[in-house]
Amino acid sequence: MSASDLAGSAASNQSAPSIRWGRVAREVLRTVASVLVTILGLLALTFFIGRLLPLDPVLAILGDDASQEAYDRMVVQLGLDKPLWQQFLTYVVNSLQFDFGTSLTSGKPVTEDILRVFPATLELATVAMILGTGLGIPLGVIAAANRDTWIDQVVRVLSLIGYSAPIFWLGLLGLTVFYAGLGWVGGPGRIDILYQYDLTPRTGLYLIDSALAGRWDIFADVFSRIVLPASILAYGAMAYISRMTRSFMLEQFSQEYIVAARAKGASRTQMIWSHAFPNIAVQLVTVVALSYAFLLEGAVLTETVFAWPGFGRYLTTALLRADMNAVLGCTLVVGLIFITLNLLCDIFYRAFDPRTR
Amino acid sequence: MTDTPVTSSRTSLRAWLEAPAASTPRQARAQAAWRGWKRLLANRAALAGLIVLILLVVIAAIGPLLTPYSPMSQDLSVRLQPPSMLHPLGTDDLGRDIMTRILYGARITLMMALLVALIAGPIGLIMGATAGYLGGWFDIVAMRLVDIFLSFPSLILALAFVAALGPGIENAVIAIALSAWPPIARLARAEALTVRKSDYIAASRLQGASSTRLILRHVMPICLPSVVIRITLNMAGIILTAAGLGFLGLGAQPPSPEWGAMLASGRQFMLTNWWLAATPGAAIMLVSLAFNLLGDGLRDVLDPRDE
Amino acid sequence: MKKHANFLRCVAAAVALGAVPALAETPADTLLMARNIDAISTFDPAQIGEVVTNEMIQNICDSLVSIDPEDEASVVPAMAKDWTVSDDGLKITFNLVEGATFPSGNPVTAKDVVWSMQRVLKLGFGNAATLTEYGFSEETAETDFVALDDYTFEMNLSRPYPIALILQAVASNRVANVLDSEFLKGEEVDGDYANKYLTTNSACVGPFALRQWNAGEVVILEANENYYGPAPKLKRIIIRHVAEAQAQRLLLEQGDIDVARDLGAEDLRDLKENPDLEVVSTPLHQLYYMGFDSAKPEFADDRVRLAFKYLVDYDALADTVMAFLGVPRASVVPLGALGALDEEEGQPFSLDLDKAKELLTEAGYGDGFSARLFVGTLPYVAPIAQHVQENAAKVGIDLQIEQMANAQLFSAFRGRDFDTIMLSWQTSVPHAHGMLSRHAVNPDNSDEAGLTMFPTWRASWYNEDFNKRVDEALFEKDEAKQIEMYKQLQLDHMMHGPFAYMFQLLDTAVLGSSVTTWKWNAFRVYYADIEKG
């Protein structure tokens, strides 16, 4: 849902005027200003949510049994006795330096935790992205080329199922069938625990690390584990990408140059792949990039089911454990990623889209 | 219907709707809607979605008549029964009939989706239409707000809100609505921007119509169709978010037969008694798919580039 | 255990230069255990409050004494090789093991014991209550715990508490974990007594050492090669975080792990039939109970609280939802503790709607009332809550269930912000006093007192008579008489107490065929004794 909204915003910039440098400078300034305002708003929102949470961070540190004196002491220590605006100010200043405080549940700085868990999610999302794009784009093109035929309908239903199924439910079903039943894929978790300490992390992406180390046995293990969660995540991304591709292609088909090309006797395949497709490439890059954001959301539930030690699971655990610093840090990071992706797409769009040049 | 001839027979209505040239604006609009309707019917997938949804509404309305059981009454002696003649979808861990619970759950699901639409729709519409029409600082502030809300995945935002408000169906609805209005506002704004400069708005303004009146009477009605479609498209997402909240224990509370909550409590029986989790999961998927099919069809029908 | 032919793994391996896929059998010197370890937030013995971490720290840090693996009611030497008690019963002198060294190389001395125990009081985390309950305090810490010389440690009591109880409740507890004071003083930050360092590290002597903890991922313990006691049988214990019970079961059945710790009743029933696996259980001194806010007029009446005890079909739940997970228990003292009522006397209630209705009518609530019921997220909680809810509805009481994360549940309970609530309470001593001291005693019921460590205070329940009798029973020297007093206290508590106890919980694990020895009791799991074949 969110990813398509972002795509919508990128698409709404299609009509940007042709480049004139003075205007560019002004626009860049305006964009920077608006991003800054958004980030400040983001900070305010996370702070506000954090204060609203009926979770007691003091209790989370001290334990259920703590005495009232110890409790009061900790309130002061955490700065929770200061006026709200002061707390907010501290929060903003610290956050801008990527200091989100110490996680109550891991005892480490939240930033360190996020850096530790992020590669797991990145690897999962990337594999999912490759699968989703590899399937989604061809399916979308095929559907568009065969518009309103049974092929179109089949692609439509197949991809809409990807939109419609509760992702955690697919995960559980997948594990039951492919791991427990058929034994085709590896179990929950990212890597066999016994391998984990044989592997020196270089990139944090285990597929690459194991390949670099030449440990193909580890590579096989990691691969067998990532296949299922990535496929399930990819399903949603594939649905989105194929729907968007279809829509972009249909738009191209209605353009005059295609009609003209057809009149000149270009073959169907030629028309689709050498004429129409290159023209939607820029739009597609945007869609694919924004799908990453979509995957981040899917990761929250998928990682819970697959015991995947990534960002999504870190966030849900923190939420359930009243780990306020971690919750706020994570939401903020997600927000920043969204804003950055959105901004990058915007810039990319303006720079490369043939129609805006 | 004052400016059109009142027709009593179906055929003449049809003729009026399919006349090659519309004689009044009203007829033109009616004809466009008619063509859209026929295109929707021709789209089998969308039609299937529509039929499932109609069925769902019927089931939600008459569900209690279809089952001899109550969705709440427990009987530990018949717990975890597999599907049978007595219990077509089996029983759950407290011996409740699952089919009965699914039937009653349809009401909750529909109600939640509807409530979210009723809260998020108007908020988004008013914010978007006003921002688009007025422009200026209101537009800037409103759109920044939208940007901020959109910079979170909706589930994460809803999660945070529901954690703040406390668990329960009402709070889940509010939380989902809070995360659902921004895209609608953005859409309504885009529509409002296009009509803002149109001649008849300018004309009305010259005649001294107030901004409030213009927004309410002219801008909002024009934004309405795309907003409705957008909400239909979002319904599936709303239902999935609600189920996700239920799955994480933050949505409907026991013993409510809400599907997400049923799925969450059934998942511990996945390997021993699959039907506890499989049925509510399938129900969620079916309804969500129906909304998606319908929404997808609607988008096709109304997408100007397909005309 | 046989490993499934792993199709994709083979394909991937074949692609990868035809390398041979690794055998996924767990190694012989390593125990792989799946458990939900989300609750772990620290490894500092002064701060640990969760059952999961407690089990681990007991295998990482030795206390003065330990619980006998063969008899949970008695203690055996650990860091203290023996001890003597003064005639007035106010002084325990511990003689420490000589020659034990910390991983840093520092010798273990009585100074370390003093520093470690005083530290608990000074830090003031929840665990300080373990000490303050028996009269130790931050103010008197200097004289409560004294090092006479390097190997002699003296504990001074303010009252002649039963020595056996002090040994169990204090000397074997994690508050008496002996930490490397010399080394840790170097790790202090802002006078935190190395709390920050100990959150993720260990600096003590025990059969295992904490090698790594990644929150929400894994805990790795490694055998201590310089251990002064008998060497652990296994080299490594890996506790892997698997939150989903279903995933734990799959891992176990596929032979990817040796032990699964959090399985539900239905899975356990299934796995019991599997000849390759073994289901083992031990009763815990942990009770699952329903609490009522006695500050609310309806729950101030003993008869209303009593009525709730007739709203539970104990046997039906024990056979279904709680199978392998708990046994019915209505007494405040768990079975197995000194002074506990026997099985029958300790559980006289059964589902009886008429009786409940009668009690409610007598109390003036014949027409019922409505109240909120707060519960946590453990799998068996929702069914029990709904079961009680349905029966309550039949006698006119309308309960609205609200399920919440444990952190939130504790907040509500501590804040006296609830109507009714369901949770569990675990005591660390096999002695009636362990429960009664918190569940029958409430020194001061005022809001200002803020005695949040007393569930009685949280429930706004206060009874002068119980306060007095629990104290008298504790100091009764004639054991037969003492047991009689405890029994009467339990019976009275059943009728007038603040809580409705429902189940005594069991700890149930499933072992793969690779595990040949698994040793545990109500208070400990002995990692050092685990063997694989």
Side-chain angles (χ1 to χ4, degrees):
Chain A
M1 181 155 89
S2 314
S4 67
D5 302 327
L6 290 166
S9 85
S12 69
N13 287 316
Q14 284 170 25
S15 53
S18 58
I19 292 178
R20 256 173 268 142
W21 289 111
R23 189 172 289 181
V24 166
R26 220 177 313 145
E27 229 168 84
V28 166
L29 268 181
R30 185 146 23 117
T31 314
V32 169
S34 85
V35 166
L36 283 181
V37 172
T38 311
I39 289 174
L40 199 68
L42 202 64
L43 285 165
L45 188 64
T46 47
F47 181 78
F48 172 70
I49 292 173
R51 296 302 120 163
L52 269 180
L53 289 182
L55 301 170
D56 194 331
V58 180
L59 223 51
I61 298 177
L62 290 177
D64 187 29
D65 237 5
S67 67
Q68 197 61 38
E69 300 85 67
Y71 186 97
D72 296 339
R73 234 180 301 154
M74 188 53 74
V75 166
V76 176
Q77 206 177 322
L78 291 179
L80 295 173
D81 57 329
K82 299 208 184 90
L84 266 192
W85 66 267
Q86 242 179 51
Q87 291 183 40
F88 180 63
L89 212 65
T90 323
Y91 174 67
V92 171
V93 170
N94 289 340
S95 300
L96 291 179
Q97 300 163 346
F98 287 96
D99 171 10
F100 305 131
T102 304
S103 159
L104 306 179
T105 49
S106 73
K108 293 174 191 155
V110 172
T111 317
E112 193 185 313
D113 276 346
I114 291 179
L115 287 176
R116 181 169 50 82
V117 297
F118 212 81
T121 302
L122 190 69
E123 185 167 37
L124 182 63
T126 308
V127 174
M129 200 68 258
I130 292 168
L131 288 172
T133 315
L135 287 170
I137 291 180
L139 278 180
V141 172
I142 290 168
N146 299 285
R147 183 178 173 199
D148 289 342
T149 65
W150 66 269
I151 297 177
D152 187 23
Q153 299 286 9
V154 167
V155 172
R156 181 199 304 261
V157 173
L158 262 184
S159 56
L160 286 181
I161 288 176
Y163 262 161
S164 311
I167 205 160
F168 45 91
W169 185 67
L170 280 186
L172 285 171
L173 281 183
L175 268 181
T176 316
V177 174
F178 295 109
Y179 172 64
L182 300 169
W184 284 5
V185 299
R190 202 179 164 203
I191 183 172
D192 195 308
I193 201 78
L194 299 169
Y195 286 141
Q196 187 161 5
Y197 303 93
D198 289 355
L199 193 62
T200 20
R202 295 185 210 189
T203 58
L205 308 175
Y206 288 171
L207 282 175
I208 295 178
D209 285 348
S210 57
L212 285 179
R215 289 293 303 269
W216 299 106
D217 51 337
I218 300 185
F219 183 87
D221 175 62
V222 172
F223 182 76
S224 76
R225 285 161 188 274
I226 203 169
V227 160
L228 189 59
S231 306
I232 285 168
L233 260 185
Y235 200 178
M238 183 206 84
Y240 174 58
I241 291 170
S242 74
R243 296 314 292 155
M244 294 305 279
T245 308
R246 175 180 179 273
S247 165
F248 293 153
M249 286 302 276
L250 285 181
E251 191 186 355
Q252 292 298 319
F253 289 167
S254 65
Q255 306 273 322
E256 277 173 26
Y257 75 95
I258 291 282
V259 179
R262 199 158 13 181
K264 275 190 242 160
S267 80
R268 213 172 115 87
T269 326
Q270 215 180 352
M271 184 189 90
I272 293 172
W273 293 107
S274 12
H275 290 99
F277 191 74
N279 276 320
I280 69 163
V282 171
Q283 280 169 304
L284 275 185
V285 170
T286 316
V287 166
V288 169
L290 292 172
S291 294
Y292 256 98
F294 180 80
L295 290 175
L296 214 56
E297 181 170 4
V300 171
L301 292 167
T302 315
E303 292 183 355
T304 305
V305 173
F306 284 93
W308 199 264
F311 186 78
R313 231 186 55 77
Y314 180 71
L315 173 61
T316 24
T317 311
L319 203 66
L320 294 177
R321 293 272 289 115
D323 190 350
M324 203 158 73
N325 287 343
V327 172
L328 297 187
C330 287
T331 9
L332 208 58
V333 166
V334 173
L336 285 178
I337 291 173
F338 263 52
I339 292 177
T340 315
L341 274 174
N342 205 1
L343 190 67
L344 285 179
C345 286
D346 214 44
I347 294 170
F348 182 77
Y349 219 94
R350 285 178 203 207
F352 293 101
D353 192 36
R355 282 165 307 177
T356 54
R357 246 198 299 208
Chain B
M1 285 213 168
T2 49
D3 56 349
T4 54
V6 178
T7 47
S8 52
S9 83
R10 264 182 77 83
T11 42
S12 55
L13 174 65
R14 186 169 204 133
W16 178 72
L17 283 167
E18 292 179 354
S23 51
T24 62
R26 176 179 281 265
Q27 190 180 5
R29 247 179 291 159
Q31 282 187 346
W34 174 248
R35 278 198 302 275
W37 173 244
K38 281 181 54 174
R39 286 197 51 182
L40 190 67
L41 291 187
N43 181 334
R44 289 214 201 110
L47 190 63
L50 188 65
I51 290 171
V52 170
L53 290 177
I54 292 171
L55 265 178
L56 180 74
V57 173
V58 172
I59 281 173
I62 65 160
L65 300 176
L66 302 176
T67 167
Y69 304 101
S70 139
M72 311 294 180
S73 75
Q74 306 169 9
D75 183 354
L76 286 174
S77 64
V78 294
R79 71 195 289 263
L80 301 173
Q81 302 266 311
S84 65
M85 289 302 283
L86 265 177
H87 301 282
L89 296 177
T91 61
D92 71 3
D93 57 330
L94 287 168
R96 296 171 294 203
D97 180 63
I98 292 180
M99 194 183 83
T100 308
R101 287 175 69 73
I102 294 273
L103 290 177
Y104 278 84
R107 289 182 171 189
I108 300 172
T109 299
L110 274 185
M111 190 69 82
M112 284 180 83
L114 209 66
L115 278 176
V116 170
L118 286 180
I119 298 172
I123 295 180
L125 186 58
I126 292 171
M127 286 287 275
T130 314
Y133 176 77
L134 290 180
W137 65 267
F138 186 86
D139 186 29
I140 293 174
V141 171
M143 284 307 108
R144 277 289 81 84
L145 206 61
V146 165
D147 277 349
I148 292 163
F149 275 82
L150 280 183
S151 47
F152 295 103
S154 58
L155 179 69
I156 291 178
L157 197 62
L159 253 165
F161 275 125
V162 94
L165 294 166
I169 283 200
E170 299 84 1
N171 289 341
V173 165
I174 295 171
I176 299 170
L178 276 175
S179 64
W181 71 268
I184 296 169
R186 178 172 271 175
L187 184 81
R189 173 178 175 267
E191 294 271 330
L193 277 179
T194 59
V195 293
R196 179 182 167 188
K197 298 200 181 86
S198 66
D199 293 342
Y200 73 90
I201 295 276
S204 309
R205 196 161 24 204
L206 283 175
Q207 281 166 12
S210 70
S211 290
T212 321
R213 190 185 152 80
L214 274 169
I215 292 171
L216 281 175
R217 297 291 301 273
H218 296 287
V219 181
M220 275 179 27
I222 287 170
C223 303
L224 197 61
S226 48
V227 165
V228 168
I229 290 160
R230 182 68 214 221
I231 289 178
T232 316
L233 271 170
N234 280 7
M235 279 295 187
I238 291 168
I239 289 170
L240 287 179
T241 308
L245 288 177
F247 182 75
L248 294 171
L250 297 164
Q253 295 298 301
S256 162
E258 197 268 324
W259 295 345
M262 284 174 71
L263 174 48
S265 64
R267 87 187 136 137
Q268 51 168 317
F269 302 98
M270 199 81 185
L271 295 175
T272 47
N273 316 84
W274 56 268
W275 57 92
L276 263 71
T279 28
I284 294 169
M285 191 173 90
L286 190 68
V287 173
S288 161
L289 181 62
F291 270 116
N292 270 330
L293 286 171
L294 182 65
D296 199 61
L298 277 176
R299 187 169 49 190
D300 267 11
V301 166
L302 293 145
D303 198 337
R305 33 186 180 211
D306 288 359
E307 289 279 334
Chain C
M1 173 150 306
K2 93 180 162 49
K3 174 72 199 164
H4 262 254
N6 201 319
F7 177 70
L8 268 180
R9 207 178 264 190
C10 294
V11 171
V15 170
L17 305 175
V20 185
L23 287 174
E25 206 162 76
T26 60
D29 60 353
T30 303
L31 184 83
L32 273 170
M33 178 154 81
R35 191 162 201 195
N36 185 338
I37 56 168
D38 265 343
I40 300 180
S41 58
T42 177
F43 275 89
D44 184 342
Q47 193 179 3
I48 290 170
E50 298 79 23
V51 178
V52 183
T53 334
N54 186 49
E55 172 184 314
M56 294 175 197
I57 202 73
Q58 283 168 335
N59 289 288
I60 297 171
C61 297
D62 278 356
S63 296
L64 287 166
V65 299
S66 180
I67 303 282
D68 187 346
E70 311 302 335
D71 172 17
E72 65 197 28
S74 59
V75 296
V76 291
M79 298 268 24
K81 61 182 182 204
D82 53 43
W83 51 89
T84 54
V85 182
S86 66
D87 292 341
D88 58 4
L90 289 174
K91 190 187 288 286
I92 314 176
T93 311
F94 294 90
N95 296 307
L96 304 190
V97 168
E98 289 174 34
T101 52
F102 290 112
S104 66
N106 295 334
V108 179
T109 69
K111 274 202 236 58
D112 296 308
V113 185
V114 171
W115 187 80
S116 307
M117 295 191 74
Q118 289 178 350
R119 177 178 181 275
V120 174
L121 288 166
K122 286 172 184 160
L123 282 169
F125 292 116
N127 290 342
T130 308
L131 293 171
T132 54
E133 191 177 338
Y134 293 101
F136 304 109
S137 72
E138 196 180 339
E139 293 75 35
T140 59
E142 302 298 324
T143 50
D144 288 343
F145 309 118
V146 182
L148 292 185
D149 59 48
D150 274 0
Y151 297 106
T152 317
F153 169 74
E154 197 176 80
M155 193 185 278
N156 291 303
L157 307 176
S158 52
R159 299 172 69 191
Y161 292 98
I163 296 303
L165 184 63
I166 293 293
L167 290 175
Q168 286 160 343
V170 178
S172 83
N173 191 275
R174 57 183 179 269
V175 298
N177 280 165
V178 183
L179 306 175
D180 188 344
S181 62
E182 279 306 306
F183 171 77
L184 287 173
K185 278 173 189 164
E187 298 290 342
E188 275 182 319
V189 186
D190 305 331
D192 71 343
Y193 296 93
N195 171 251
K196 198 173 172 57
Y197 177 81
L198 285 173
T199 300
T200 51
N201 297 285
S202 64
C204 55
V205 181
F208 288 89
L210 176 66
R211 174 172 158 195
Q212 185 163 11
W213 166 46
N214 286 350
E217 265 178 62
V218 72
V219 173
I220 299 180
L221 306 182
E222 212 158 43
N224 174 3
E225 281 171 13
N226 301 318
Y227 189 49
Y228 66 92
K233 306 284 196 302
L234 295 175
K235 268 219 175 69
R236 272 194 297 187
I237 309 274
I238 298 179
I239 299 127
R240 174 156 155 213
H241 176 68
V242 183
E244 291 275 319
Q246 302 286 293
Q248 288 194 6
R249 174 177 171 177
L250 289 176
L251 286 165
L252 188 69
E253 286 180 323
Q254 300 279 319
D256 287 341
I257 54 168
D258 299 312
V259 187
R261 295 292 297 272
D262 306 294
L263 297 184
E266 299 312 312
D267 290 309
L268 290 165
R269 207 191 300 276
D270 259 22
L271 294 181
K272 200 153 179 103
E273 306 302 316
N274 184 337
D276 287 340
L277 305 173
E278 191 189 352
V279 177
V280 291
S281 282
T282 179
L284 295 169
H285 285 208
Q286 187 176 9
L287 297 171
Y288 193 69
Y289 68 100
M290 183 167 181
F292 311 91
D293 181 7
S294 293
K296 305 247 171 13
E298 51 271 39
F299 298 116
D301 194 305
D302 289 358
R303 287 166 297 195
V304 173
R305 299 194 304 271
L306 187 58
F308 273 88
K309 303 185 186 187
Y310 291 101
L311 295 179
V312 186
D313 191 341
Y314 300 90
D315 293 332
L317 284 177
D319 287 343
T320 54
V321 176
M322 294 303 283
F324 303 97
L325 304 176
V327 292
R329 181 80 181 162
S331 165
V332 58
V333 176
L335 215 54
L338 177 85
L341 290 171
D342 69 21
E343 221 166 317
E344 221 162 287
E345 278 178 303
Q347 209 312 97
F349 301 105
S350 60
L351 179 66
D352 188 343
L353 297 177
D354 295 335
K355 177 81 182 162
K357 188 79 188 171
E358 193 185 310
L359 285 163
L360 288 169
T361 312
E362 276 174 35
Y365 291 97
D367 298 332
F369 53 84
S370 79
R372 297 169 302 166
L373 169 58
F374 290 173
V375 298
T377 49
L378 283 168
Y380 57 79
V381 167
I384 294 182
Q386 292 178 73
H387 173 85
V388 172
Q389 180 189 46
E390 202 204 15
N391 290 327
K394 288 178 185 158
V395 295
I397 301 171
D398 173 28
L399 290 178
Q400 296 116 34
I401 299 174
E402 279 186 40
Q403 223 174 344
M404 54 188 78
N406 282 339
Q408 230 166 313
L409 191 69
F410 295 152
S411 266
F413 194 27
R414 275 177 72 104
R416 293 180 156 187
D417 178 21
F418 69 101
D419 300 337
T420 67
I421 194 164
M422 284 184 185
L423 23 68
S424 65
W425 184 271
Q426 180 161 31
T427 165
S428 58
V429 277
H431 191 292
H433 186 72
M435 285 298 291
L436 288 168
S437 62
R438 302 285 187 94
H439 279 228
V441 172
N442 179 0
D444 183 348
N445 199 32
S446 67
D447 270 338
E448 302 75 53
L451 297 176
T452 47
M453 60 274 224
F454 289 87
T456 42
W457 181 88
R458 299 175 186 182
S460 304
W461 180 88
Y462 176 84
N463 189 315
E464 186 75 53
D465 179 47
F466 275 98
N467 286 354
K468 210 167 99 243
R469 285 168 58 198
V470 171
D471 198 62
E472 279 169 10
L474 179 61
F475 293 101
E476 176 56 55
K477 294 289 173 204
D478 177 351
E479 189 167 299
K481 210 167 155 196
Q482 185 187 36
I483 288 175
E484 213 30 65
M485 292 165 94
Y486 279 136
K487 289 197 165 161
Q488 197 52 49
L489 267 168
Q490 288 168 70
L491 291 172
D492 293 345
H493 195 265
M494 234 178 245
M495 292 312 190
H496 309 289
F499 304 125
Y501 303 93
M502 295 182 283
F503 293 96
Q504 179 168 359
L505 300 179
L506 305 173
D507 199 349
T508 301
V510 186
L511 314 176
S513 58
S514 50
V515 181
T516 51
T517 309
W518 175 263
K519 193 163 279 180
W520 63 354
N521 57 36
F523 302 107
R524 281 173 193 235
V525 182
Y526 298 86
Y527 290 179
D529 293 336
I530 299 172
E531 284 179 275
K532 284 178 72 170

